[in-house]
Each structure stands twice: as structure tokens, then as C-alpha cells.
Amino acid sequence: MRTSAGSRFGSGRVWAGLLASVLLGGCTSSGDGTEDPGPPTSGPPDRRGFVIRFEEPAVADRDGAAFLRERKVMETVTATLDAFVRMDRQVTVVGRSCAGEGSAYDPDRLRIDVCYDEVAEERGLFERAGRGRADDDVAAVLVETLYHEAGHALVDVVRPTLTDRAEEDAADRFAALMLLRQGPDGERLLRSAAEEYRLAAAEGDPAAGGADEHSPDLVRAANHVCFLYGSAPERNLDLANSPLLSPARAAGCAAEWTHVRDAWTADLAPVLR
Ligand SMILES: [Zn+2]
């Protein structure tokens, strides 16, 4: 779920966005992403980078698990990450029933949990806000969540000295970076993610008060809105007048986003492909 519910590196209640291609759904590979594409031609297989695995869902999470696979959330995000950065280690991304613990990154096991139960939680949040079945919003939130958790894994590699709150903010910014570098498709996903934080705050999510290591939900929503507007003002002009942004901040979002993007890019330089 969006609130971290005590997990050290929980995403907070995360949101995510999916690529348009992912949003189309379609058949899903039953593989766990770790298989070799064919007989090795030389040497051992490369086990670095992001690999995925699916656990059997709890009965209550079967629909959520099916949705996650149908939308290829884990497949698409990990493929995008592996094309972007060259990890010096293997990070396993596991789809599983989390019983409400929330998606999280475990730095000791180098593992990201993506929780089937969050599908129903996010769907409920959007539906209560009158957004219909909201499949695309839900998928977007899951994508952004996974990028946030991957941001923790990247922080471990390139900025291991960050404090908890700074790391959470950096993970949010990494998610924004990964989505905004995809252009309009990624912007749509980040919009859903920002809206999810706003809705969660409106519902009185405990994390909205900044009770855990994450910034409050409204702050996280405002940051993403600012990044969206700052990265492409012409496409996101409506956000200039968002109640989440003061006029003064809105005027500085282009510079703010440039700084955020350049800072993360500089940190990633040693691992960029
Ligand atoms: Zn986090």
C-alpha cells in the first residue's frame, strides 16, 4: 500500500504509472524473468540486474496478481531499468501477497516486494473518488511504486550515505526521472501517481501526516506535480495553477526539475549504460 506500514523502505503508498504499451495489457509470460533466453554460448549467464519472480497469491489477491501480470508491470519496469543502468548486483523483484505490509525494498536481501493486495487498495481509492474502474490509474500507481523501490536499490549503489527521509525523497525523484524521460506516456503515469497521493491524503491516510520515513502524501503529490510542470510546461500547463503549488513554486518548477534530473543523472553516471 502507499503507506509504508512500518516497512523500513516501503514506498509509502505508492503510485505508479505504466507505459502506454503496458496499459494495453495482453498475454503474459509465465516465466520468472530469470531464465536464459537459450542455450548459453559461452560462460555463465549474467545474473546482475533486475530479475522477477511471482509467488502464488493468497486467494483474496488472485485478481490483483492477475492484473499485475496482465499489465506486465514488473516485466516492463525491470526491462526499462536494465536498459538504463548496469547494476553490479542482482536485485530480485517479487510479486507476492503482502497482507497489507506494502511494497518495499529490502537492502539486505537485495529484493523488492511488489504486493498483489495493492491492486485492490489502489482501485478502491480511485473508485471512491469517482474514477470508475480506474485500471489505468491503478497500473500507473504500480509502475511508479516499482520505480520508487528501484530508486532505493540505486541509492544503495550510488548514494549509500543518505538518511532515511532523504533516501525516500530521492526514490520519489528517481521514479519521476524514469517516467518523465519517457515523455508524454510517462507523464500520464506520473499524473496518476500524483493524484493517488493527493487522494490518499484527502482520505486521511496516516502517512499524510509524515508519520513515517516518507514525506507527507501531499508533499509527495506536490513534488510530482512540480516535476511534471517543470519538465514539460507546454504539455502540463494546467498544473501551473494546481492548488498543490504556490505561484512562487510553480514559477520555479522548471529550474527545480532541471536540478533534480541533473543531480540524479550525475549520481547515476557510473552505472548508466
Ligand atoms: Zn521508499
Side-chain angles (χ1 to χ4, degrees), residues 6 10-11 37 40 42 48 92 102 122 134 142 175 180 185 191-192 197-198 202 208 214 223 238 256-257 261 267:
S11 58
S42 65
R48 291 174 294 182
T92 306
E122 302 299 346
L142 292 169
L180 293 179
D185 290 341
R191 276 179 175 255
S192 290
Y197 279 128
R198 190 188 70 78
H214 302 88
N223 288 339
D238 59 306
E256 183 174 334
W257 171 246
R261 182 198 61 200
D267 284 342

mmCIF file of all heavy atoms in Angstrom, residues 6 10-11 37 40 42 48 92 102 122 134 142 175 180 185 191-192 197-198 202 208 214 223 238 256-257 261 267:
data_model
loop_
_atom_site.group_PDB
_atom_site.id
_atom_site.type_symbol
_atom_site.label_atom_id
_atom_site.label_comp_id
_atom_site.label_asym_id
_atom_site.label_seq_id
_atom_site.Cartn_x
_atom_site.Cartn_y
_atom_site.Cartn_z
ATOM 1 N N GLY A 6 5.231 0.541 8.271
ATOM 2 C CA GLY A 6 6.306 0.062 9.125
ATOM 3 C C GLY A 6 7.487 -0.542 8.403
ATOM 4 O O GLY A 6 8.528 -0.742 8.999
ATOM 5 N N GLY A 10 9.475 0.968 2.689
ATOM 6 C CA GLY A 10 8.218 0.931 1.962
ATOM 7 C C GLY A 10 8.080 2.132 1.052
ATOM 8 O O GLY A 10 8.696 3.156 1.275
ATOM 9 N N SER A 11 7.280 1.989 0.075
ATOM 10 C CA SER A 11 7.137 3.051 -0.914
ATOM 11 C C SER A 11 6.253 4.160 -0.392
ATOM 12 O O SER A 11 6.116 5.181 -1.004
ATOM 13 C CB SER A 11 6.517 2.484 -2.174
ATOM 14 O OG SER A 11 5.277 1.908 -1.866
ATOM 15 N N PRO A 37 17.668 -16.923 -22.263
ATOM 16 C CA PRO A 37 16.880 -16.953 -23.494
ATOM 17 C C PRO A 37 17.150 -18.191 -24.329
ATOM 18 O O PRO A 37 16.356 -18.563 -25.168
ATOM 19 C CB PRO A 37 17.333 -15.682 -24.218
ATOM 20 C CG PRO A 37 18.670 -15.354 -23.637
ATOM 21 C CD PRO A 37 18.635 -15.842 -22.219
ATOM 22 N N PRO A 40 23.388 -21.328 -23.384
ATOM 23 C CA PRO A 40 24.495 -20.385 -23.290
ATOM 24 C C PRO A 40 25.534 -20.694 -24.346
ATOM 25 O O PRO A 40 25.815 -21.855 -24.631
ATOM 26 C CB PRO A 40 25.029 -20.604 -21.869
ATOM 27 C CG PRO A 40 24.586 -21.985 -21.504
ATOM 28 C CD PRO A 40 23.287 -22.195 -22.212
ATOM 29 N N SER A 42 28.581 -19.091 -24.222
ATOM 30 C CA SER A 42 29.884 -19.058 -23.561
ATOM 31 C C SER A 42 29.718 -18.489 -22.168
ATOM 32 O O SER A 42 28.995 -17.522 -21.974
ATOM 33 C CB SER A 42 30.874 -18.198 -24.354
ATOM 34 O OG SER A 42 30.455 -16.852 -24.356
ATOM 35 N N ARG A 48 23.409 -10.293 -13.029
ATOM 36 C CA ARG A 48 23.257 -8.949 -12.487
ATOM 37 C C ARG A 48 22.024 -8.283 -13.095
ATOM 38 O O ARG A 48 21.503 -8.725 -14.111
ATOM 39 C CB ARG A 48 24.507 -8.132 -12.779
ATOM 40 C CG ARG A 48 25.714 -8.629 -11.992
ATOM 41 C CD ARG A 48 26.959 -7.899 -12.398
ATOM 42 N NE ARG A 48 27.331 -8.197 -13.780
ATOM 43 C CZ ARG A 48 28.406 -7.723 -14.379
ATOM 44 N NH1 ARG A 48 29.208 -6.911 -13.742
ATOM 45 N NH2 ARG A 48 28.683 -8.039 -15.630
ATOM 46 N N THR A 92 16.213 -8.837 -6.973
ATOM 47 C CA THR A 92 15.062 -9.668 -7.308
ATOM 48 C C THR A 92 13.772 -8.917 -7.008
ATOM 49 O O THR A 92 13.607 -8.378 -5.908
ATOM 50 C CB THR A 92 15.083 -10.983 -6.493
ATOM 51 O OG1 THR A 92 16.340 -11.629 -6.694
ATOM 52 C CG2 THR A 92 13.969 -11.906 -6.946
ATOM 53 N N GLY A 102 2.802 -3.638 2.408
ATOM 54 C CA GLY A 102 3.206 -2.603 1.475
ATOM 55 C C GLY A 102 4.458 -2.969 0.707
ATOM 56 O O GLY A 102 5.370 -3.606 1.230
ATOM 57 N N GLU A 122 -5.523 0.278 -4.298
ATOM 58 C CA GLU A 122 -5.467 1.457 -5.163
ATOM 59 C C GLU A 122 -6.756 1.613 -5.961
ATOM 60 O O GLU A 122 -7.254 2.725 -6.147
ATOM 61 C CB GLU A 122 -4.272 1.366 -6.115
ATOM 62 C CG GLU A 122 -2.923 1.241 -5.426
ATOM 63 C CD GLU A 122 -2.599 2.421 -4.528
ATOM 64 O OE1 GLU A 122 -3.283 3.456 -4.626
ATOM 65 O OE2 GLU A 122 -1.686 2.309 -3.703
ATOM 66 N N ALA A 134 -10.884 2.482 -13.090
ATOM 67 C CA ALA A 134 -9.568 3.072 -12.862
ATOM 68 C C ALA A 134 -8.407 2.117 -13.093
ATOM 69 O O ALA A 134 -7.359 2.247 -12.478
ATOM 70 C CB ALA A 134 -9.488 3.649 -11.445
ATOM 71 N N LEU A 142 1.162 1.311 -9.722
ATOM 72 C CA LEU A 142 2.062 0.175 -9.503
ATOM 73 C C LEU A 142 3.410 0.397 -10.176
ATOM 74 O O LEU A 142 4.461 0.061 -9.620
ATOM 75 C CB LEU A 142 1.412 -1.108 -10.018
ATOM 76 C CG LEU A 142 0.191 -1.569 -9.227
ATOM 77 C CD1 LEU A 142 -0.545 -2.683 -9.973
ATOM 78 C CD2 LEU A 142 0.601 -2.071 -7.846
ATOM 79 N N ALA A 175 11.806 7.842 -9.381
ATOM 80 C CA ALA A 175 10.595 7.407 -10.088
ATOM 81 C C ALA A 175 10.154 8.470 -11.091
ATOM 82 O O ALA A 175 9.780 8.158 -12.225
ATOM 83 C CB ALA A 175 9.473 7.118 -9.090
ATOM 84 N N LEU A 180 9.415 10.602 -16.475
ATOM 85 C CA LEU A 180 9.436 11.810 -17.298
ATOM 86 C C LEU A 180 10.389 11.686 -18.480
ATOM 87 O O LEU A 180 10.193 12.350 -19.504
ATOM 88 C CB LEU A 180 9.796 13.024 -16.434
ATOM 89 C CG LEU A 180 8.719 13.376 -15.401
ATOM 90 C CD1 LEU A 180 9.149 14.580 -14.565
ATOM 91 C CD2 LEU A 180 7.376 13.652 -16.079
ATOM 92 N N ASP A 185 3.874 9.653 -22.444
ATOM 93 C CA ASP A 185 3.349 8.422 -21.837
ATOM 94 C C ASP A 185 3.712 8.350 -20.357
ATOM 95 O O ASP A 185 2.881 8.010 -19.507
ATOM 96 C CB ASP A 185 3.896 7.186 -22.556
ATOM 97 C CG ASP A 185 3.325 7.029 -23.946
ATOM 98 O OD1 ASP A 185 2.266 7.636 -24.222
ATOM 99 O OD2 ASP A 185 3.935 6.315 -24.763
ATOM 100 N N ARG A 191 1.144 11.557 -13.508
ATOM 101 C CA ARG A 191 -0.069 12.271 -13.094
ATOM 102 C C ARG A 191 -0.962 11.372 -12.226
ATOM 103 O O ARG A 191 -1.502 11.818 -11.207
ATOM 104 C CB ARG A 191 -0.857 12.742 -14.325
ATOM 105 C CG ARG A 191 -0.369 14.058 -14.901
ATOM 106 C CD ARG A 191 -1.188 14.432 -16.131
ATOM 107 N NE ARG A 191 -0.810 15.756 -16.616
ATOM 108 C CZ ARG A 191 -1.536 16.867 -16.454
ATOM 109 N NH1 ARG A 191 -2.697 16.810 -15.814
ATOM 110 N NH2 ARG A 191 -1.113 18.021 -16.915
ATOM 111 N N SER A 192 -1.119 10.142 -12.642
ATOM 112 C CA SER A 192 -1.927 9.217 -11.839
ATOM 113 C C SER A 192 -1.305 9.016 -10.468
ATOM 114 O O SER A 192 -2.002 8.941 -9.451
ATOM 115 C CB SER A 192 -2.061 7.865 -12.547
ATOM 116 O OG SER A 192 -2.872 7.971 -13.698
ATOM 117 N N TYR A 197 -1.488 10.095 -4.501
ATOM 118 C CA TYR A 197 -1.016 10.679 -3.238
ATOM 119 C C TYR A 197 -2.004 11.724 -2.728
ATOM 120 O O TYR A 197 -2.277 11.817 -1.536
ATOM 121 C CB TYR A 197 0.364 11.320 -3.411
ATOM 122 C CG TYR A 197 1.495 10.330 -3.372
ATOM 123 C CD1 TYR A 197 2.441 10.301 -4.391
ATOM 124 C CD2 TYR A 197 1.626 9.433 -2.319
ATOM 125 C CE1 TYR A 197 3.485 9.390 -4.360
ATOM 126 C CE2 TYR A 197 2.665 8.521 -2.288
ATOM 127 C CZ TYR A 197 3.588 8.508 -3.311
ATOM 128 O OH TYR A 197 4.617 7.602 -3.281
ATOM 129 N N ARG A 198 -2.526 12.512 -3.652
ATOM 130 C CA ARG A 198 -3.480 13.549 -3.234
ATOM 131 C C ARG A 198 -4.735 12.920 -2.635
ATOM 132 O O ARG A 198 -5.225 13.357 -1.587
ATOM 133 C CB ARG A 198 -3.858 14.426 -4.435
ATOM 134 C CG ARG A 198 -4.660 15.675 -4.065
ATOM 135 C CD ARG A 198 -5.163 16.386 -5.297
ATOM 136 N NE ARG A 198 -6.213 15.645 -5.990
ATOM 137 C CZ ARG A 198 -7.488 15.593 -5.617
ATOM 138 N NH1 ARG A 198 -7.888 16.257 -4.538
ATOM 139 N NH2 ARG A 198 -8.381 14.897 -6.308
ATOM 140 N N ALA A 202 -6.272 13.079 1.158
ATOM 141 C CA ALA A 202 -7.632 13.548 1.401
ATOM 142 C C ALA A 202 -8.423 12.559 2.248
ATOM 143 O O ALA A 202 -9.327 12.939 2.991
ATOM 144 C CB ALA A 202 -8.344 13.784 0.060
ATOM 145 N N ALA A 208 -0.065 10.722 5.511
ATOM 146 C CA ALA A 208 -0.207 12.104 5.075
ATOM 147 C C ALA A 208 0.358 13.069 6.117
ATOM 148 O O ALA A 208 0.712 14.186 5.809
ATOM 149 C CB ALA A 208 -1.673 12.429 4.806
ATOM 150 N N HIS A 214 8.667 8.573 5.088
ATOM 151 C CA HIS A 214 8.331 9.276 3.857
ATOM 152 C C HIS A 214 7.895 10.707 4.139
ATOM 153 O O HIS A 214 7.403 11.014 5.218
ATOM 154 C CB HIS A 214 7.192 8.560 3.123
ATOM 155 C CG HIS A 214 7.492 7.138 2.785
ATOM 156 N ND1 HIS A 214 7.225 6.110 3.647
ATOM 157 C CD2 HIS A 214 8.045 6.585 1.697
ATOM 158 C CE1 HIS A 214 7.597 4.959 3.090
ATOM 159 N NE2 HIS A 214 8.104 5.223 1.910
ATOM 160 N N ASN A 223 5.358 17.515 -5.147
ATOM 161 C CA ASN A 223 6.654 17.364 -5.819
ATOM 162 C C ASN A 223 6.480 16.809 -7.227
ATOM 163 O O ASN A 223 7.063 17.323 -8.186
ATOM 164 C CB ASN A 223 7.568 16.443 -5.002
ATOM 165 C CG ASN A 223 8.072 17.110 -3.742
ATOM 166 O OD1 ASN A 223 8.078 18.343 -3.628
ATOM 167 N ND2 ASN A 223 8.500 16.304 -2.787
ATOM 168 N N ASP A 238 -1.858 23.089 -17.274
ATOM 169 C CA ASP A 238 -2.912 23.100 -16.263
ATOM 170 C C ASP A 238 -2.356 22.989 -14.850
ATOM 171 O O ASP A 238 -2.957 23.487 -13.894
ATOM 172 C CB ASP A 238 -3.902 21.959 -16.515
ATOM 173 C CG ASP A 238 -3.223 20.597 -16.497
ATOM 174 O OD1 ASP A 238 -2.234 20.408 -17.247
ATOM 175 O OD2 ASP A 238 -3.682 19.723 -15.737
ATOM 176 N N GLU A 256 13.631 23.684 -10.772
ATOM 177 C CA GLU A 256 13.652 22.614 -9.766
ATOM 178 C C GLU A 256 13.803 21.257 -10.434
ATOM 179 O O GLU A 256 14.608 20.425 -10.002
ATOM 180 C CB GLU A 256 12.366 22.674 -8.928
ATOM 181 C CG GLU A 256 12.321 21.649 -7.797
ATOM 182 C CD GLU A 256 11.102 21.834 -6.888
ATOM 183 O OE1 GLU A 256 10.570 22.967 -6.795
ATOM 184 O OE2 GLU A 256 10.685 20.829 -6.269
ATOM 185 N N TRP A 257 13.027 21.028 -11.495
ATOM 186 C CA TRP A 257 13.119 19.749 -12.178
ATOM 187 C C TRP A 257 14.494 19.558 -12.826
ATOM 188 O O TRP A 257 15.089 18.481 -12.763
ATOM 189 C CB TRP A 257 12.020 19.570 -13.220
ATOM 190 C CG TRP A 257 12.281 18.335 -14.037
ATOM 191 C CD1 TRP A 257 12.583 18.250 -15.360
ATOM 192 C CD2 TRP A 257 12.351 16.989 -13.537
ATOM 193 N NE1 TRP A 257 12.825 16.957 -15.721
ATOM 194 C CE2 TRP A 257 12.694 16.156 -14.620
ATOM 195 C CE3 TRP A 257 12.156 16.414 -12.279
ATOM 196 C CZ2 TRP A 257 12.844 14.781 -14.486
ATOM 197 C CZ3 TRP A 257 12.316 15.037 -12.138
ATOM 198 C CH2 TRP A 257 12.641 14.241 -13.237
ATOM 199 N N ARG A 261 16.708 16.370 -11.994
ATOM 200 C CA ARG A 261 17.124 15.474 -13.078
ATOM 201 C C ARG A 261 18.653 15.408 -13.186
ATOM 202 O O ARG A 261 19.242 14.327 -13.280
ATOM 203 C CB ARG A 261 16.527 15.972 -14.398
ATOM 204 C CG ARG A 261 16.852 15.105 -15.615
ATOM 205 C CD ARG A 261 16.627 15.874 -16.902
ATOM 206 N NE ARG A 261 17.503 17.052 -16.960
ATOM 207 C CZ ARG A 261 17.297 18.112 -17.729
ATOM 208 N NH1 ARG A 261 16.222 18.185 -18.497
ATOM 209 N NH2 ARG A 261 18.151 19.121 -17.729
ATOM 210 N N ASP A 267 24.609 11.388 -10.281
ATOM 211 C CA ASP A 267 24.834 10.277 -9.357
ATOM 212 C C ASP A 267 24.878 8.932 -10.095
ATOM 213 O O ASP A 267 25.616 8.016 -9.718
ATOM 214 C CB ASP A 267 23.724 10.230 -8.294
ATOM 215 C CG ASP A 267 23.908 11.309 -7.226
ATOM 216 O OD1 ASP A 267 25.027 11.847 -7.110
ATOM 217 O OD2 ASP A 267 22.928 11.604 -6.513
#
